[in-house]
Amino acid sequence: QTKTSIALLYDEVSENAYDIRLKLTKEVLTIQKQDVVCVSGSDHSANHRTVTLRRQPVGGLGLSIKGGAEHKVPVVISKIFKDQAADQTGMLFIGDAIIQVNGINVESATHEEVVHLLRNAGDEVTITVQYLREAPSFLKLPLGSPGPSSDHSSGASSPLFDSGLHLNGNSTNTAPSSPSSPIANEPKYEKRWLDTLSVPLSMARISRYKAGTDKLRSNAFEVLALDGVSTGILQFYTAQESADWLRAISTNISDLTLQNMKMANKCCSPSDQVIHMGWVNERLEGTDSSQLYKFKFLALKGSSFYIFSTPPVSTLDWVRAEKIYNLCEVLFKIHKLWLADDCWLQANLYLGIHQDFDLEDQRPYCFSVMVGHGKSHYFNVELGSELAVWEKSFQRAIFLEVQRTGSKTYMCSWQGDTLCFTVDFALGFTCFDSKTKNVLWRFKFSQLKGSSDDGKTKVKLLFQNLDTKQIETKELEFQDLTAVLHCIHSFIAAKVASVDPVFIDSQSIARKYMYSN
């Protein structure tokens, strides 16, 4: 199904916006601009058309003009009156820029100069025109064909004066002149929407933010293809229209990503399947206070969480990820949602692990992935629905990896002895001597009643003895304590989920708030 709509293309350099038509199919977003094309007869360059108008006693030249050099735009035809001189030629269109009048170049003339020239040009006026494909939206030109009924402009009045030349000019001849009708063998022209740019949506990304800032564009966004080609800034007349298009394009990108995942998974073993992948913005911690975001492509595949600068297209691309982490040792955390009533929700999804985050930035839909050695990555997505998908995908990928792995063993020390600490999906926690393999202690997951750590290497695990009901404290020291704590969290969460399948949904902050309205 194809979706089309009139929108604006905003040029940040000139700060002008131009009328365009958007056409969205399952795989491509196309930008169309209006132009005048020759549809029959000898094809002169449709760029320049020279037309002779015969001024009529009633109706004059039958057109109005707008613009001029003082507004940094050419003089353009802004109205064509039905069945009058300009309309009868069949060769003039609203949006045509006037280049010459009776051989005199007027490209850098003011509005008044062109009005004066046309009014005093006699009964036969020869004008050369070229269709202005990028007419600034402030000209408020109607987008349809001639005639008042097809005025599709936004309806607001233009700040520029509209000079009507359908009034009688200084005519020397008062006898009715023959109408300016098209001659049989003359070329015929039509105004049409022509494709000017097609952006493939496979692995494309959307940005609603002004480059390098936290400023959301008002009712506007840009779409960037995999090869970096941009649509430019697409601006919409209403917030509703902007949201509809954002959702529609985003849905098509997601559908294509799903297709790409299915293709990739055909070449992968059952234990190495892609669970989810897609574009996000990563916040870069700069040396100064300005926070910059950079596009990153994330993937959850097999036992790993990948961060790429560009999407993996071939099987070989998976080795060139910027970062690869084991899924058992990461912790997903939602920071911000933008709720329906515009208040922020700060959410903590982790158990007993405290970490302060600077939440001063203005972007909604943020999450972080905490990794080993106390480090973390802070991400932002464009839509709440994307945040919900990432949350569910991380949970699923981590639970699958825990069940696949079954157990993880870490080297640790206690009172100078080198020990091994194992987290096992079936048995719980076991600590044994690394040399003799003698088991020192073993507890089930349900016996863990709490923990505390020094934020560096040492942790105290509090277990309840099933016989005495007393709390036993076990103190251990790890090289990468964060990874071990994340692993414990992953195993316990997966264990609870395996016993209580509803657990995952009850833990979902994003989906709970996204879909409760």
Side-chain angles (χ1 to χ4, degrees), residues 394-403 490 493-494 497 503-504:
F394 261 94
Q395 284 176 337
R396 186 164 160 247
I398 289 169
F399 294 171
L400 282 170
E401 175 55 16
V402 167
Q403 287 167 345
S490 298
F503 170 76
I504 299 180

Side-chain angles (χ1 to χ4, degrees), residues 187-229:
K188 267 206 178 84
Y189 293 95
E190 263 180 29
K191 201 196 242 186
R192 288 185 183 170
W193 287 105
L194 302 179
D195 293 357
T196 57
L197 178 68
S198 290
V199 176
L201 296 177
S202 178
M203 303 285 199
R205 57 192 195 264
I206 298 172
S207 178
R208 294 189 294 153
Y209 292 90
K210 290 182 180 172
T213 73
D214 277 333
K215 289 198 176 81
L216 264 177
R217 298 185 188 282
S218 175
N219 304 343
F221 57 84
E222 77 178 304
V223 181
L224 296 111
L226 177 59
D227 61 3
V229 170

Side-chain angles (χ1 to χ4, degrees), residues 132-175:
L132 186 63
R133 289 178 76 177
E134 295 188 347
S137 59
F138 65 76
L139 286 172
K140 303 285 180 204
L141 299 179
L143 291 174
S145 47
S149 62
S150 57
D151 184 341
H152 294 307
S153 72
S154 61
S157 63
S158 167
L160 304 195
F161 184 63
D162 217 332
S163 295
L165 295 158
H166 52 292
L167 310 171
N168 282 331
N170 299 350
S171 171
T172 48
N173 180 358
T174 50

Side-chain angles (χ1 to χ4, degrees), residues 5 79 91 124 141 184 192 233 292 335 337 349 355 480:
S5 172
K79 283 181 189 161
M91 286 178 68
E124 277 207 355
L141 299 179
R192 288 185 183 170
I233 296 143
L292 289 178
H335 284 290
L337 295 174
L349 280 187
Q355 188 154 357
D480 185 356

Side-chain angles (χ1 to χ4, degrees), residues 335-445:
H335 284 290
K336 282 187 179 173
L337 295 174
W338 225 343
L339 301 183
D341 58 358
D342 268 356
C343 66
W344 292 113
L345 174 78
Q346 309 285 6
N348 286 346
L349 280 187
Y350 55 101
L351 311 174
I353 302 169
H354 180 72
Q355 188 154 357
D356 287 323
F357 270 92
D358 170 27
L359 296 173
E360 294 305 306
D361 67 292
Q362 295 304 304
R363 295 193 177 204
Y365 315 132
C366 295
F367 68 90
S368 63
V369 180
M370 294 150 84
V371 295
H373 297 290
K375 293 191 165 64
S376 68
H377 295 272
Y378 189 95
F379 302 110
N380 149 261
V381 287
E382 301 286 335
L383 296 168
S385 54
E386 290 178 280
L387 186 62
V389 171
W390 276 114
E391 182 187 26
K392 191 172 186 177
S393 302
F394 261 94
Q395 284 176 337
R396 186 164 160 247
I398 289 169
F399 294 171
L400 282 170
E401 175 55 16
V402 167
Q403 287 167 345
R404 246 194 322 262
T405 308
S407 72
K408 295 276 280 186
T409 299
Y410 297 92
M411 298 295 285
C412 61
S413 59
W414 181 55
Q415 294 180 344
D417 295 327
T418 304
L419 308 174
C420 290
F421 174 76
T422 298
V423 188
D424 188 288
F425 190 66
L427 302 172
F429 306 102
T430 308
C431 189
F432 58 91
D433 189 294
S434 64
K435 294 189 192 82
T436 65
K437 307 297 182 216
N438 287 341
V439 172
L440 303 175
W441 47 261
R442 178 175 281 149
F443 294 98
K444 292 177 181 175
F445 288 122

Side-chain angles (χ1 to χ4, degrees), residues 85-115:
D87 185 29
Q88 287 168 354
T89 64
M91 286 178 68
L92 293 175
F93 299 87
I94 290 171
D96 276 341
I98 299 174
I99 293 166
Q100 289 188 345
V101 176
N102 286 350
I104 300 165
N105 189 293
V106 293
E107 285 177 282
S108 51
T110 65
H111 184 85
E112 281 310 314
E113 286 168 346
V114 177
V115 169

Side-chain angles (χ1 to χ4, degrees), residues 259-297:
Q259 280 178 30
N260 288 328
M261 275 165 49
K262 282 177 183 168
M263 292 287 286
N265 284 340
K266 282 180 182 172
C267 315
C268 301
S269 68
S271 63
D272 199 27
Q273 298 282 294
V274 180
I275 301 290
H276 187 56
M277 60 185 188
W279 285 102
V280 297
N281 301 295
E282 181 174 16
R283 188 169 81 189
L284 306 176
E285 298 300 338
T287 44
D288 59 355
S289 60
S290 70
Q291 290 166 352
L292 289 178
Y293 280 81
K294 202 168 182 184
F295 277 116
K296 291 289 162 79
F297 192 85

